[in-house]
Amino acid sequence: MENLIGLLVLVPLLGAGVLLCGGRRLDRSGPWVGTGLAAVSFVLGVWLFADMLGRKGDNRALDVTVFSWVPVGGFRADVGFHLDQLSMTFVLLITGVGSLIHLYSVGYMAHDERPRRFFGYLNLFLAAMLLLVLADNYLLLYAGWEGVGLASYLLIGFWQHKPSAATAAKKAFLVNRVGDMGLSIAIMVMFTTFGTFSFAPVLAHADQAGEGKLTAIGLLLLLGACGKSAQVPLQSWLGDAMEGPTPVSALIHAATMVTAGVYLITRSSAIFNGAPDAQTAVVTVGAVTLLFGAIVGCAKDDIKKALAGSTMSQIGYMILAAGLGPVGYVFAIMHLVTHGFFKAGLFLGAGSVMHGMNDEVDMRRYGGLRSYMPVTFWTFGLGYLAIIGFPGLSGFFSKDKIIEAAFAKGGTEGWILGAAALLGAAITAYYMTRVMLLTFFGEKRWQPTVSDSGSAAEDGNLPHPHESPKTMTIPMILLAVGSVFAGGLFSINSAFLKWLEPVTGHAEGHSPVGAGQVTAATMVVLVIGAAVAWQQYGRSPVPVTAPRGTLLTRAARRDLLQDDFNHVVLVRGGEHLTRSLVYVDHKLVDGVVNGTAASVGGLSGRMRRLQNGFARSYAVSMFGGAAVLIAATLLMRAV
Amino acid sequence: MNPVNYLYLAALLFTIGAAGVLVRRNAIVVFMCIELMLNACNLAFVTFSRMHGTLDGQIIAFFTMVVAAAEVVVGLAIIVSIFRSRHSASVDDASLLKL
């Protein structure tokens, strides 16, 4: 069984190698090879899952050391895998959703020129992500962490002939670098504190490290998580990452990679449990981001960017839950899994709509697509109901638990967090209803597309929306099924809780508000949010060009000025810093160096005159020197 | 006779020699002036030896003679080869490390 774990990572890695190095002869079969290998790793995952279910609670974890990676004296870094319930959950999510999205991409990328490379990158992503969640030490986790960053960069910039995509890829890479720096420093601090990278000893001895150290490690891990999971203040890359092909947005920037931060925090639970200050930072980041993302999502007219705002917001929920400690870990992961289903489904739906609408992304130019794309409509609709937390669907179970846990934090903090989570739920209902209404209901507001040559097109270029091919609809249907039933299935008998509890631990919170009341309040805000959206976008006609909007709307359209902030503070600040450093370098450092050189040069120019080559003048200086020495000696004697 | 007079003589000879080294241009003459200075030193050594009643000064005088003889050999050889190449024995002409 242990050998299968390594295989799980190797299979997609092999796929990436074959597809990226295989050359043109794989151009036609490439998509199916990539999809097949993803499916193989999913089958392996299911096999391991079945095997794991066969064992009892505490014996479920599997450990395997493959080889010693860097053995240098007392420093040991091994390539080893640790498969427990938490990693298993991720493995199934990654390979399952990953396989579906591979399948979807076969249809979506059918007309692309380089599908082989696309599938190679997707497989590379799968391998890196599996490495990330299967690693049994932080260093190997970091390797996977960087690997998914690379795959994300390559896939965002897949259409690199578009300058916007190339820029977005660069931006994602750079912003992630800030977070990666935090993670790498956290790992270094960990090594100096515990003398090892492995999860087991680090987490077992976490309580002996002292709160200061733990807080430092926790905050640095949080920085890493913020970068990868697009949380405030490192959130700015996610919106632009939508420049990538839609399946990429679904797989990497919604369902799996961006949840790596939640995994990191949950995995390091022992560290965070011992550092209340770090936990406070985590919940603050989560609460701020869930509102931030939701507000941004309300104002975007680009369907993918609206969904990106929503992703940010939902991950904010998970981070919030993870920051609550043992009360929340399980629910963070549960929301992560259900979110993986419905958000991937929503993105695939968005991709399907774009596919039918000549790659138009502006929702104001959609409208009335309900009857043209029935499958997309129904699967998207189910995803929509799941994300807003419609009773009985996935999002209802997972999000409700998080809101409850937030209230259970206790004290003023609990009320603030709970209120933020509730408000977030209301805004979620609003923006998702808006997306739904703009896309599938109302009048047709289709516009002729502008052709590549730039000439305004005639009416003949009006989009002809049509249902997508089977390879695209089947994954959407399966994901919709997941979004409907996953939450309920997890909640029967608290199955998910019992499954994860041995790894993350769990504590029941004592909420000042009853569970029923929380659910009722959630329903009320949900209805309010949806009603407001219906009032604005359902009852009255929607203008094709966006109205100017209030100050908040305009700010939200610009991602709440995050780029402007980064530009003014970081870019300008950096420019000023470098300019002043260059000034100091030129004037001070170069001045000292050049001054020394010039004075030595001048002095030696004068000294050179002494060396005239006349033996008699040397003799004079010798005699003079001897005379001076003798005179000095006599003088000293006399004194 | 007071041995101090010998010291005066040695000082006089040394001064003459030094002045000759500094003033004359002909390498042979400069060389002879150096010999004069060496012999002035020898005279002073021998005088001190006599004054203090020890043999140290006399031994050093012998050493000086040996070294002076060796120096003459090397020095004259250099002067001859300079004269051959430059057709002049002036020390001021040989102010460069090339012809």
Side-chain angles (χ1 to χ4, degrees), chain A residues 396-483:
Chain A
F396 167 75
F397 293 101
S398 48
K399 197 188 285 180
D400 210 43
K401 287 286 186 194
I402 292 180
I403 298 174
E404 224 174 277
F407 275 114
K409 173 90 174 158
T412 329
E413 215 181 342
W415 284 104
I416 294 173
L417 294 175
L422 263 184
L423 184 60
I427 307 178
T428 307
Y430 171 79
Y431 67 71
M432 283 314 299
T433 311
R434 174 173 176 270
V435 169
M436 199 67 195
L437 289 173
L438 282 178
T439 307
F440 292 104
F441 293 88
E443 304 153 14
K444 300 172 194 169
R445 297 179 302 276
W446 310 344
Q447 303 289 315
T449 42
V450 179
S451 61
D452 285 341
S453 56
S455 60
E458 301 303 316
D459 283 353
N461 264 359
L462 265 181
H464 302 287
H466 52 86
E467 191 51 88
S468 302
K470 282 261 162 44
T471 46
M472 288 168 70
T473 48
I474 289 171
M476 283 152 60
I477 294 167
L478 290 176
L479 286 171
V481 170
S483 359

Side-chain angles (χ1 to χ4, degrees), chain A residues 612-616 619-620 623, chain B residues 22-25 37 92 94-95:
Chain A
N612 51 14
F614 293 113
R616 292 186 306 145
V620 170
F623 279 115
Chain B
L22 294 181
V23 173
R24 301 302 297 265
R25 286 205 187 94
M37 285 159 70
D92 283 4
S95 65

Side-chain angles (χ1 to χ4, degrees), chain A residues 148-343:
Chain A
V148 293
L150 169 69
S152 159
Y153 166 80
L154 292 170
L155 285 166
I156 296 171
F158 186 71
W159 288 322
Q160 77 265 70
H161 53 84
K162 286 195 296 185
S164 57
T167 317
K170 226 184 314 178
K171 183 175 178 184
F173 201 74
L174 287 176
V175 176
N176 265 300
R177 205 102 314 263
V178 179
D180 296 349
M181 196 53 76
L183 178 59
S184 60
I185 298 175
I187 294 172
M188 292 176 210
V189 175
M190 227 176 253
F191 186 76
T192 55
T193 312
F194 302 105
T196 172
F197 301 118
S198 296
F199 288 145
V202 168
L203 299 178
H205 300 122
D207 46 347
Q208 296 161 14
E211 203 184 313
K213 273 265 172 68
L214 289 183
T215 309
I217 296 176
L219 289 177
L220 288 165
L221 288 177
L222 174 64
L223 183 64
C226 280
K228 200 56 86 196
S229 294
Q231 300 293 294
V232 173
L234 298 177
Q235 81 290 16
S236 63
W237 64 273
L238 189 62
D240 291 334
M242 296 302 131
E243 285 293 337
T246 310
V248 172
S249 311
L251 177 61
I252 301 186
H253 306 116
T256 52
M257 185 193 83
V258 286
T259 56
V262 183
Y263 171 77
L264 184 68
I265 293 177
T266 311
R267 178 58 82 194
S268 316
S269 52
I271 290 171
F272 283 94
N273 290 345
D277 290 341
Q279 279 187 322
T280 311
V282 174
V283 290
T284 312
V285 164
V288 169
T289 312
L290 83 86
L291 292 176
F292 187 104
I295 293 170
V296 170
C298 291
K300 291 285 183 188
D301 288 330
D302 180 328
I303 186 168
K304 283 177 75 185
K305 291 200 171 166
L307 290 177
S310 152
T311 303
M312 219 184 271
S313 163
Q314 299 300 315
I315 296 172
Y317 272 107
M318 301 170 207
I319 295 274
L320 168 66
L324 293 172
V327 191
Y329 291 132
V330 173
F331 302 128
I333 301 297
M334 183 160 142
H335 193 54
L336 192 157
V337 175
T338 55
H339 174 256
F341 282 117
F342 56 66
K343 185 52 66 64

